[in-house]
Amino acid sequence: MAGRNGRTVRDLRRANRTAVLQRLYFDGPLSRFELGPATGLSSGSVSNVVADLVADGLVEEAGSVDSDGGRPRTLLRVAPGSGHMIGVDVGETRVRIELFDLTLTELARAERPLEPQRYDVEVIVGHIRDGITEVLAAADVAPGQLLGVGIGVPGIVERTPARGAVVHGQTIGWEAVPLEALLRSTSRLPGSAAYFIDNGAKTLGQAEMWFGGGRGAHNAVVVLFGSGVGACLVTADVEQGRAVEWGHLTVRVRGRRCRCGALGCLEAYAGAESLLERWREEGGRPPEGTDEETALTAMLAAAYPPGGGAADPSALAVLEETAEYLGAGLSDLINLFQPERILIGGWAGLQLGAGFLPAVRRHAAAYALRHPAEKVTIELGRLGPDAVTVGAAILPLADFFARGGRRPEPVPEGPPPAWRAVLQERAPH
C-alpha cells in the first residue's frame, strides 16, 4: 500500500535497511543505541532492521563497549564475507581485475598487460572474462556470491535498452562498442550477473570521494592522468559525479594533433603519451621496447638524476611545459566549477608525484581567477594505482545499498535509478 508520498511499506523497509547498512559501513562498528541518532530512526525501528540484517547474515557482532551505568552495549558491523564485488580497470597499459569482499578488502587480483595500441575489443573482453575466472578461483568464491562486476573504461558510456552499456572510446578506436552484451555472450558468470560499466575517471572519482582525499568535500574534481587525461566532477548540482572529457578541451588553436584526431587538445600536451613523444622530438631517448610507465620512469630519472648528476635539459624542459599546460587546464576547471579540492590520480600523475605539484599549482593560480584559485587545494589522490578498480567495485556496492542489502533481480535490465541516490551520499560524516 502506498502512502501520500507514493512510498510503499516495502520502500520504507528498504530505505531503513539502507540507512542502517550505510552507517555501519562508513562509521561502524556502532551500537544499536548509536544507530538511532546516526540514522534518524526510532529505537524500535533500529532493533527491527538490525534483527533482519543479522538474520540475512549481513550484520554481525563486533565486541562491546561499556555504557553509562548500564549493561555493556553490543557493537555491530557489516559482515565482510556476506557479499563480493569485482572491480575492473581497462587502463592504458594493462587490464586490472580485483575481487573484494563487502568491506572492499582485496581478496585476489589478476593483471593482463596491454601491448602498445592493443585495444582490440575481443582481446579486452577476453582479458576481463579470464581475469574474473582467475580471481574467483584464487579466492574460492562462487560466481553466485557476486553482487556484481564494476568496470571502468576509457570513453563515454551510454546505456541502451537492447545492448546495455555501450562504450564510445574515440581515442582508442572504440565506436559504439556494446561491451556489456559482449561480456554477457562470452562470460562464464551466470546470466543473472550484474555489470556496471562507467568511465574510468568517474570510477576513480567515486573511490576518492568515498574513501580517499575527496571525502567530506561537496565540490571536487578528481583528475585521471595517464596516457591521456580525464576528470570526474562532483558539485552540489552533480553529487553522484560526472565524467568530463577534460582532456579534449582546446588549449592551443592549430596546436598538436591529439590522438582523438582534433588539434590543440590538452591531452596532446599533458598526457603521458604526448609527454614522451615531445621528449623524443627534443632529442630524448626513452628505452626502446618498453611500456609507457617504464619510459616515463626513465624520463624522470633523466630530468632529475638520482645521484645529483647533470639533468637532461630536454626532459626537464618538456616536464616544465607539461606542468604549465596541466596547470592551465586545471585553471579552466577552477573557473568553471569553483571546486574545494582537486585531486590528481592515475598512474602518470602518481608517478610524477608530489615534486611535480608546486609547478602545477603555481601555473593553475596564474591562469585562474584569483578568488576561486585562493579557495581550492590541489593534491595527489590518496588511493594509489588501485583507485579505479576500487571505484569500479563501488558501483555494485552502491546498488546493493540502494536495494537495502538485497541482491540484484534474477535478470537485471541494468543499474536501477536508485543506485545513483546512494552515490550521492559519498560516505558522508
PDB file of all heavy atoms in Angstrom, residues 318-352:
ATOM      1  N   VAL A 318      60.524  19.659 -21.170  1.00  0.00           N
ATOM      2  CA  VAL A 318      59.219  19.084 -21.513  1.00  0.00           C
ATOM      3  C   VAL A 318      58.367  18.916 -20.258  1.00  0.00           C
ATOM      4  O   VAL A 318      57.155  19.189 -20.266  1.00  0.00           O
ATOM      5  CB  VAL A 318      59.394  17.740 -22.247  1.00  0.00           C
ATOM      6  CG1 VAL A 318      58.050  17.026 -22.391  1.00  0.00           C
ATOM      7  CG2 VAL A 318      60.007  17.958 -23.629  1.00  0.00           C
ATOM      8  N   LEU A 319      58.964  18.476 -19.162  1.00  0.00           N
ATOM      9  CA  LEU A 319      58.208  18.311 -17.922  1.00  0.00           C
ATOM     10  C   LEU A 319      57.703  19.661 -17.409  1.00  0.00           C
ATOM     11  O   LEU A 319      56.562  19.777 -16.938  1.00  0.00           O
ATOM     12  CB  LEU A 319      59.083  17.640 -16.865  1.00  0.00           C
ATOM     13  CG  LEU A 319      59.285  16.136 -17.043  1.00  0.00           C
ATOM     14  CD1 LEU A 319      60.385  15.625 -16.116  1.00  0.00           C
ATOM     15  CD2 LEU A 319      57.983  15.380 -16.782  1.00  0.00           C
ATOM     16  N   GLU A 320      58.544  20.692 -17.510  1.00  0.00           N
ATOM     17  CA  GLU A 320      58.117  22.021 -17.071  1.00  0.00           C
ATOM     18  C   GLU A 320      56.985  22.562 -17.935  1.00  0.00           C
ATOM     19  O   GLU A 320      56.036  23.181 -17.441  1.00  0.00           O
ATOM     20  CB  GLU A 320      59.321  22.968 -17.089  1.00  0.00           C
ATOM     21  CG  GLU A 320      60.328  22.671 -15.984  1.00  0.00           C
ATOM     22  CD  GLU A 320      61.580  23.533 -16.083  1.00  0.00           C
ATOM     23  OE1 GLU A 320      61.749  24.208 -17.124  1.00  0.00           O
ATOM     24  OE2 GLU A 320      62.381  23.524 -15.124  1.00  0.00           O
ATOM     25  N   GLU A 321      57.074  22.303 -19.249  1.00  0.00           N
ATOM     26  CA  GLU A 321      55.994  22.726 -20.136  1.00  0.00           C
ATOM     27  C   GLU A 321      54.710  21.964 -19.837  1.00  0.00           C
ATOM     28  O   GLU A 321      53.609  22.526 -19.851  1.00  0.00           O
ATOM     29  CB  GLU A 321      56.405  22.515 -21.590  1.00  0.00           C
ATOM     30  CG  GLU A 321      55.370  23.038 -22.583  1.00  0.00           C
ATOM     31  CD  GLU A 321      55.741  22.740 -24.021  1.00  0.00           C
ATOM     32  OE1 GLU A 321      56.127  21.582 -24.314  1.00  0.00           O
ATOM     33  OE2 GLU A 321      55.615  23.644 -24.855  1.00  0.00           O
ATOM     34  N   THR A 322      54.853  20.667 -19.538  1.00  0.00           N
ATOM     35  CA  THR A 322      53.683  19.857 -19.201  1.00  0.00           C
ATOM     36  C   THR A 322      53.008  20.386 -17.939  1.00  0.00           C
ATOM     37  O   THR A 322      51.780  20.440 -17.859  1.00  0.00           O
ATOM     38  CB  THR A 322      54.095  18.383 -19.014  1.00  0.00           C
ATOM     39  OG1 THR A 322      54.654  17.888 -20.225  1.00  0.00           O
ATOM     40  CG2 THR A 322      52.899  17.526 -18.622  1.00  0.00           C
ATOM     41  N   ALA A 323      53.809  20.771 -16.941  1.00  0.00           N
ATOM     42  CA  ALA A 323      53.244  21.335 -15.707  1.00  0.00           C
ATOM     43  C   ALA A 323      52.441  22.597 -16.009  1.00  0.00           C
ATOM     44  O   ALA A 323      51.375  22.825 -15.418  1.00  0.00           O
ATOM     45  CB  ALA A 323      54.361  21.635 -14.714  1.00  0.00           C
ATOM     46  N   GLU A 324      52.926  23.411 -16.953  1.00  0.00           N
ATOM     47  CA  GLU A 324      52.197  24.630 -17.290  1.00  0.00           C
ATOM     48  C   GLU A 324      50.888  24.311 -18.000  1.00  0.00           C
ATOM     49  O   GLU A 324      49.845  24.902 -17.694  1.00  0.00           O
ATOM     50  CB  GLU A 324      53.055  25.554 -18.158  1.00  0.00           C
ATOM     51  CG  GLU A 324      52.336  26.860 -18.482  1.00  0.00           C
ATOM     52  CD  GLU A 324      53.244  27.918 -19.076  1.00  0.00           C
ATOM     53  OE1 GLU A 324      54.418  27.608 -19.363  1.00  0.00           O
ATOM     54  OE2 GLU A 324      52.766  29.059 -19.256  1.00  0.00           O
ATOM     55  N   TYR A 325      50.928  23.377 -18.953  1.00  0.00           N
ATOM     56  CA  TYR A 325      49.685  23.016 -19.639  1.00  0.00           C
ATOM     57  C   TYR A 325      48.685  22.395 -18.667  1.00  0.00           C
ATOM     58  O   TYR A 325      47.486  22.693 -18.715  1.00  0.00           O
ATOM     59  CB  TYR A 325      49.975  22.050 -20.790  1.00  0.00           C
ATOM     60  CG  TYR A 325      50.332  22.744 -22.077  1.00  0.00           C
ATOM     61  CD1 TYR A 325      51.639  22.691 -22.597  1.00  0.00           C
ATOM     62  CD2 TYR A 325      49.388  23.472 -22.788  1.00  0.00           C
ATOM     63  CE1 TYR A 325      51.967  23.333 -23.778  1.00  0.00           C
ATOM     64  CE2 TYR A 325      49.705  24.122 -23.970  1.00  0.00           C
ATOM     65  CZ  TYR A 325      50.995  24.051 -24.461  1.00  0.00           C
ATOM     66  OH  TYR A 325      51.316  24.695 -25.628  1.00  0.00           O
ATOM     67  N   LEU A 326      49.185  21.534 -17.784  1.00  0.00           N
ATOM     68  CA  LEU A 326      48.286  20.908 -16.819  1.00  0.00           C
ATOM     69  C   LEU A 326      47.695  21.960 -15.880  1.00  0.00           C
ATOM     70  O   LEU A 326      46.493  21.955 -15.599  1.00  0.00           O
ATOM     71  CB  LEU A 326      49.036  19.842 -16.017  1.00  0.00           C
ATOM     72  CG  LEU A 326      48.190  18.956 -15.103  1.00  0.00           C
ATOM     73  CD1 LEU A 326      47.150  18.172 -15.895  1.00  0.00           C
ATOM     74  CD2 LEU A 326      49.072  17.988 -14.324  1.00  0.00           C
ATOM     75  N   GLY A 327      48.528  22.889 -15.419  1.00  0.00           N
ATOM     76  CA  GLY A 327      48.029  23.963 -14.562  1.00  0.00           C
ATOM     77  C   GLY A 327      47.008  24.831 -15.274  1.00  0.00           C
ATOM     78  O   GLY A 327      45.989  25.213 -14.691  1.00  0.00           O
ATOM     79  N   ALA A 328      47.268  25.141 -16.548  1.00  0.00           N
ATOM     80  CA  ALA A 328      46.307  25.935 -17.326  1.00  0.00           C
ATOM     81  C   ALA A 328      44.989  25.182 -17.480  1.00  0.00           C
ATOM     82  O   ALA A 328      43.902  25.777 -17.382  1.00  0.00           O
ATOM     83  CB  ALA A 328      46.892  26.269 -18.689  1.00  0.00           C
ATOM     84  N   GLY A 329      45.081  23.860 -17.727  1.00  0.00           N
ATOM     85  CA  GLY A 329      43.854  23.062 -17.830  1.00  0.00           C
ATOM     86  C   GLY A 329      43.083  23.041 -16.522  1.00  0.00           C
ATOM     87  O   GLY A 329      41.850  23.124 -16.510  1.00  0.00           O
ATOM     88  N   LEU A 330      43.807  22.948 -15.395  1.00  0.00           N
ATOM     89  CA  LEU A 330      43.141  22.969 -14.096  1.00  0.00           C
ATOM     90  C   LEU A 330      42.499  24.323 -13.834  1.00  0.00           C
ATOM     91  O   LEU A 330      41.443  24.407 -13.179  1.00  0.00           O
ATOM     92  CB  LEU A 330      44.141  22.648 -12.985  1.00  0.00           C
ATOM     93  CG  LEU A 330      44.707  21.229 -12.959  1.00  0.00           C
ATOM     94  CD1 LEU A 330      45.674  21.068 -11.801  1.00  0.00           C
ATOM     95  CD2 LEU A 330      43.611  20.184 -12.894  1.00  0.00           C
ATOM     96  N   SER A 331      43.112  25.393 -14.337  1.00  0.00           N
ATOM     97  CA  SER A 331      42.528  26.726 -14.126  1.00  0.00           C
ATOM     98  C   SER A 331      41.144  26.820 -14.760  1.00  0.00           C
ATOM     99  O   SER A 331      40.256  27.503 -14.229  1.00  0.00           O
ATOM    100  CB  SER A 331      43.451  27.807 -14.693  1.00  0.00           C
ATOM    101  OG  SER A 331      43.396  27.857 -16.113  1.00  0.00           O
ATOM    102  N   ASP A 332      40.944  26.154 -15.899  1.00  0.00           N
ATOM    103  CA  ASP A 332      39.613  26.159 -16.515  1.00  0.00           C
ATOM    104  C   ASP A 332      38.598  25.466 -15.610  1.00  0.00           C
ATOM    105  O   ASP A 332      37.449  25.918 -15.474  1.00  0.00           O
ATOM    106  CB  ASP A 332      39.661  25.475 -17.881  1.00  0.00           C
ATOM    107  CG  ASP A 332      40.400  26.308 -18.916  1.00  0.00           C
ATOM    108  OD1 ASP A 332      40.257  27.533 -18.907  1.00  0.00           O
ATOM    109  OD2 ASP A 332      41.129  25.724 -19.734  1.00  0.00           O
ATOM    110  N   LEU A 333      39.008  24.349 -14.997  1.00  0.00           N
ATOM    111  CA  LEU A 333      38.118  23.657 -14.069  1.00  0.00           C
ATOM    112  C   LEU A 333      37.824  24.535 -12.855  1.00  0.00           C
ATOM    113  O   LEU A 333      36.697  24.564 -12.351  1.00  0.00           O
ATOM    114  CB  LEU A 333      38.745  22.334 -13.624  1.00  0.00           C
ATOM    115  CG  LEU A 333      38.965  21.278 -14.720  1.00  0.00           C
ATOM    116  CD1 LEU A 333      39.712  20.071 -14.160  1.00  0.00           C
ATOM    117  CD2 LEU A 333      37.632  20.838 -15.323  1.00  0.00           C
ATOM    118  N   ILE A 334      38.828  25.251 -12.382  1.00  0.00           N
ATOM    119  CA  ILE A 334      38.646  26.147 -11.231  1.00  0.00           C
ATOM    120  C   ILE A 334      37.678  27.274 -11.577  1.00  0.00           C
ATOM    121  O   ILE A 334      36.750  27.572 -10.817  1.00  0.00           O
ATOM    122  CB  ILE A 334      40.006  26.721 -10.782  1.00  0.00           C
ATOM    123  CG1 ILE A 334      40.888  25.606 -10.202  1.00  0.00           C
ATOM    124  CG2 ILE A 334      39.812  27.834  -9.751  1.00  0.00           C
ATOM    125  CD1 ILE A 334      42.325  26.020  -9.981  1.00  0.00           C
ATOM    126  N   ASN A 335      37.866  27.881 -12.731  1.00  0.00           N
ATOM    127  CA  ASN A 335      36.992  28.995 -13.126  1.00  0.00           C
ATOM    128  C   ASN A 335      35.561  28.537 -13.385  1.00  0.00           C
ATOM    129  O   ASN A 335      34.603  29.236 -13.046  1.00  0.00           O
ATOM    130  CB  ASN A 335      37.534  29.668 -14.387  1.00  0.00           C
ATOM    131  CG  ASN A 335      38.810  30.450 -14.118  1.00  0.00           C
ATOM    132  OD1 ASN A 335      39.139  30.766 -12.984  1.00  0.00           O
ATOM    133  ND2 ASN A 335      39.542  30.750 -15.181  1.00  0.00           N
ATOM    134  N   LEU A 336      35.419  27.369 -13.995  1.00  0.00           N
ATOM    135  CA  LEU A 336      34.084  26.899 -14.358  1.00  0.00           C
ATOM    136  C   LEU A 336      33.303  26.365 -13.164  1.00  0.00           C
ATOM    137  O   LEU A 336      32.103  26.609 -13.033  1.00  0.00           O
ATOM    138  CB  LEU A 336      34.196  25.802 -15.424  1.00  0.00           C
ATOM    139  CG  LEU A 336      34.564  26.255 -16.842  1.00  0.00           C
ATOM    140  CD1 LEU A 336      34.889  25.051 -17.713  1.00  0.00           C
ATOM    141  CD2 LEU A 336      33.425  27.049 -17.459  1.00  0.00           C
ATOM    142  N   PHE A 337      33.970  25.597 -12.295  1.00  0.00           N
ATOM    143  CA  PHE A 337      33.234  24.845 -11.266  1.00  0.00           C
ATOM    144  C   PHE A 337      33.568  25.259  -9.832  1.00  0.00           C
ATOM    145  O   PHE A 337      32.881  24.839  -8.919  1.00  0.00           O
ATOM    146  CB  PHE A 337      33.496  23.343 -11.442  1.00  0.00           C
ATOM    147  CG  PHE A 337      33.172  22.850 -12.833  1.00  0.00           C
ATOM    148  CD1 PHE A 337      34.166  22.369 -13.663  1.00  0.00           C
ATOM    149  CD2 PHE A 337      31.876  22.901 -13.313  1.00  0.00           C
ATOM    150  CE1 PHE A 337      33.879  21.923 -14.953  1.00  0.00           C
ATOM    151  CE2 PHE A 337      31.564  22.464 -14.594  1.00  0.00           C
ATOM    152  CZ  PHE A 337      32.574  21.981 -15.422  1.00  0.00           C
ATOM    153  N   GLN A 338      34.620  26.032  -9.625  1.00  0.00           N
ATOM    154  CA  GLN A 338      34.993  26.523  -8.299  1.00  0.00           C
ATOM    155  C   GLN A 338      35.017  25.402  -7.250  1.00  0.00           C
ATOM    156  O   GLN A 338      34.330  25.482  -6.222  1.00  0.00           O
ATOM    157  CB  GLN A 338      34.048  27.650  -7.877  1.00  0.00           C
ATOM    158  CG  GLN A 338      34.052  28.818  -8.855  1.00  0.00           C
ATOM    159  CD  GLN A 338      33.085  29.916  -8.486  1.00  0.00           C
ATOM    160  OE1 GLN A 338      32.786  30.136  -7.313  1.00  0.00           O
ATOM    161  NE2 GLN A 338      32.579  30.619  -9.483  1.00  0.00           N
ATOM    162  N   PRO A 339      35.801  24.350  -7.495  1.00  0.00           N
ATOM    163  CA  PRO A 339      35.841  23.234  -6.543  1.00  0.00           C
ATOM    164  C   PRO A 339      36.615  23.576  -5.268  1.00  0.00           C
ATOM    165  O   PRO A 339      37.465  24.472  -5.261  1.00  0.00           O
ATOM    166  CB  PRO A 339      36.572  22.135  -7.333  1.00  0.00           C
ATOM    167  CG  PRO A 339      37.477  22.899  -8.254  1.00  0.00           C
ATOM    168  CD  PRO A 339      36.698  24.133  -8.640  1.00  0.00           C
ATOM    169  N   GLU A 340      36.284  22.851  -4.194  1.00  0.00           N
ATOM    170  CA  GLU A 340      37.060  22.968  -2.959  1.00  0.00           C
ATOM    171  C   GLU A 340      38.414  22.270  -3.120  1.00  0.00           C
ATOM    172  O   GLU A 340      39.419  22.728  -2.576  1.00  0.00           O
ATOM    173  CB  GLU A 340      36.320  22.297  -1.793  1.00  0.00           C
ATOM    174  CG  GLU A 340      34.961  22.861  -1.462  1.00  0.00           C
ATOM    175  CD  GLU A 340      34.248  21.934  -0.492  1.00  0.00           C
ATOM    176  OE1 GLU A 340      34.902  21.425   0.451  1.00  0.00           O
ATOM    177  OE2 GLU A 340      33.045  21.686  -0.686  1.00  0.00           O
ATOM    178  N   ARG A 341      38.388  21.139  -3.816  1.00  0.00           N
ATOM    179  CA  ARG A 341      39.594  20.332  -3.938  1.00  0.00           C
ATOM    180  C   ARG A 341      39.756  19.834  -5.371  1.00  0.00           C
ATOM    181  O   ARG A 341      38.763  19.554  -6.056  1.00  0.00           O
ATOM    182  CB  ARG A 341      39.532  19.110  -3.019  1.00  0.00           C
ATOM    183  CG  ARG A 341      39.351  19.419  -1.561  1.00  0.00           C
ATOM    184  CD  ARG A 341      39.196  18.158  -0.736  1.00  0.00           C
ATOM    185  NE  ARG A 341      38.568  18.475   0.543  1.00  0.00           N
ATOM    186  CZ  ARG A 341      38.185  17.575   1.434  1.00  0.00           C
ATOM    187  NH1 ARG A 341      38.378  16.288   1.177  1.00  0.00           N
ATOM    188  NH2 ARG A 341      37.611  17.948   2.561  1.00  0.00           N
ATOM    189  N   ILE A 342      41.006  19.704  -5.775  1.00  0.00           N
ATOM    190  CA  ILE A 342      41.351  18.999  -6.999  1.00  0.00           C
ATOM    191  C   ILE A 342      42.338  17.909  -6.610  1.00  0.00           C
ATOM    192  O   ILE A 342      43.354  18.177  -5.955  1.00  0.00           O
ATOM    193  CB  ILE A 342      41.976  19.926  -8.062  1.00  0.00           C
ATOM    194  CG1 ILE A 342      40.947  20.946  -8.550  1.00  0.00           C
ATOM    195  CG2 ILE A 342      42.501  19.119  -9.247  1.00  0.00           C
ATOM    196  CD1 ILE A 342      41.496  21.950  -9.555  1.00  0.00           C
ATOM    197  N   LEU A 343      42.028  16.679  -6.973  1.00  0.00           N
ATOM    198  CA  LEU A 343      42.885  15.539  -6.675  1.00  0.00           C
ATOM    199  C   LEU A 343      43.405  14.962  -7.984  1.00  0.00           C
ATOM    200  O   LEU A 343      42.629  14.750  -8.921  1.00  0.00           O
ATOM    201  CB  LEU A 343      42.104  14.468  -5.909  1.00  0.00           C
ATOM    202  CG  LEU A 343      41.509  14.926  -4.569  1.00  0.00           C
ATOM    203  CD1 LEU A 343      40.555  13.873  -4.044  1.00  0.00           C
ATOM    204  CD2 LEU A 343      42.610  15.201  -3.562  1.00  0.00           C
ATOM    205  N   ILE A 344      44.702  14.713  -8.045  1.00  0.00           N
ATOM    206  CA  ILE A 344      45.323  14.172  -9.254  1.00  0.00           C
ATOM    207  C   ILE A 344      45.704  12.724  -9.008  1.00  0.00           C
ATOM    208  O   ILE A 344      46.495  12.413  -8.117  1.00  0.00           O
ATOM    209  CB  ILE A 344      46.562  14.996  -9.655  1.00  0.00           C
ATOM    210  CG1 ILE A 344      46.158  16.447  -9.934  1.00  0.00           C
ATOM    211  CG2 ILE A 344      47.235  14.381 -10.881  1.00  0.00           C
ATOM    212  CD1 ILE A 344      47.321  17.369 -10.271  1.00  0.00           C
ATOM    213  N   GLY A 345      45.111  11.835  -9.789  1.00  0.00           N
ATOM    214  CA  GLY A 345      45.408  10.410  -9.697  1.00  0.00           C
ATOM    215  C   GLY A 345      45.794   9.864 -11.059  1.00  0.00           C
ATOM    216  O   GLY A 345      46.129  10.614 -11.979  1.00  0.00           O
ATOM    217  N   GLY A 346      45.706   8.560 -11.224  1.00  0.00           N
ATOM    218  CA  GLY A 346      46.159   7.930 -12.454  1.00  0.00           C
ATOM    219  C   GLY A 346      47.635   7.581 -12.349  1.00  0.00           C
ATOM    220  O   GLY A 346      48.389   8.210 -11.597  1.00  0.00           O
ATOM    221  N   TRP A 347      48.068   6.579 -13.107  1.00  0.00           N
ATOM    222  CA  TRP A 347      49.436   6.078 -12.933  1.00  0.00           C
ATOM    223  C   TRP A 347      50.484   7.150 -13.230  1.00  0.00           C
ATOM    224  O   TRP A 347      51.489   7.262 -12.521  1.00  0.00           O
ATOM    225  CB  TRP A 347      49.668   4.839 -13.796  1.00  0.00           C
ATOM    226  CG  TRP A 347      49.648   5.073 -15.288  1.00  0.00           C
ATOM    227  CD1 TRP A 347      48.585   4.910 -16.128  1.00  0.00           C
ATOM    228  CD2 TRP A 347      50.748   5.484 -16.106  1.00  0.00           C
ATOM    229  NE1 TRP A 347      48.946   5.216 -17.415  1.00  0.00           N
ATOM    230  CE2 TRP A 347      50.263   5.561 -17.438  1.00  0.00           C
ATOM    231  CE3 TRP A 347      52.077   5.808 -15.862  1.00  0.00           C
ATOM    232  CZ2 TRP A 347      51.076   5.950 -18.503  1.00  0.00           C
ATOM    233  CZ3 TRP A 347      52.888   6.191 -16.918  1.00  0.00           C
ATOM    234  CH2 TRP A 347      52.384   6.254 -18.228  1.00  0.00           C
ATOM    235  N   ALA A 348      50.266   7.990 -14.256  1.00  0.00           N
ATOM    236  CA  ALA A 348      51.254   9.016 -14.586  1.00  0.00           C
ATOM    237  C   ALA A 348      51.270  10.121 -13.537  1.00  0.00           C
ATOM    238  O   ALA A 348      52.335  10.608 -13.141  1.00  0.00           O
ATOM    239  CB  ALA A 348      50.981   9.593 -15.967  1.00  0.00           C
ATOM    240  N   GLY A 349      50.098  10.532 -13.064  1.00  0.00           N
ATOM    241  CA  GLY A 349      50.034  11.555 -12.034  1.00  0.00           C
ATOM    242  C   GLY A 349      50.737  11.118 -10.770  1.00  0.00           C
ATOM    243  O   GLY A 349      51.479  11.887 -10.141  1.00  0.00           O
ATOM    244  N   LEU A 350      50.512   9.852 -10.375  1.00  0.00           N
ATOM    245  CA  LEU A 350      51.159   9.347  -9.174  1.00  0.00           C
ATOM    246  C   LEU A 350      52.659   9.178  -9.382  1.00  0.00           C
ATOM    247  O   LEU A 350      53.449   9.369  -8.462  1.00  0.00           O
ATOM    248  CB  LEU A 350      50.522   8.007  -8.775  1.00  0.00           C
ATOM    249  CG  LEU A 350      49.040   8.069  -8.391  1.00  0.00           C
ATOM    250  CD1 LEU A 350      48.489   6.674  -8.143  1.00  0.00           C
ATOM    251  CD2 LEU A 350      48.836   8.947  -7.153  1.00  0.00           C
ATOM    252  N   GLN A 351      53.062   8.817 -10.604  1.00  0.00           N
ATOM    253  CA  GLN A 351      54.479   8.634 -10.882  1.00  0.00           C
ATOM    254  C   GLN A 351      55.223   9.971 -10.868  1.00  0.00           C
ATOM    255  O   GLN A 351      56.348  10.064 -10.376  1.00  0.00           O
ATOM    256  CB  GLN A 351      54.659   7.947 -12.243  1.00  0.00           C
ATOM    257  CG  GLN A 351      56.005   7.265 -12.418  1.00  0.00           C
ATOM    258  CD  GLN A 351      55.987   6.275 -13.575  1.00  0.00           C
ATOM    259  OE1 GLN A 351      54.966   5.632 -13.839  1.00  0.00           O
ATOM    260  NE2 GLN A 351      57.095   6.147 -14.256  1.00  0.00           N
ATOM    261  N   LEU A 352      54.600  11.003 -11.415  1.00  0.00           N
ATOM    262  CA  LEU A 352      55.217  12.326 -11.370  1.00  0.00           C
ATOM    263  C   LEU A 352      55.332  12.818  -9.928  1.00  0.00           C
ATOM    264  O   LEU A 352      56.302  13.470  -9.563  1.00  0.00           O
ATOM    265  CB  LEU A 352      54.410  13.313 -12.210  1.00  0.00           C
ATOM    266  CG  LEU A 352      54.505  13.088 -13.727  1.00  0.00           C
ATOM    267  CD1 LEU A 352      53.481  13.932 -14.450  1.00  0.00           C
ATOM    268  CD2 LEU A 352      55.910  13.381 -14.238  1.00  0.00           C
TER     269      LEU A 352
END
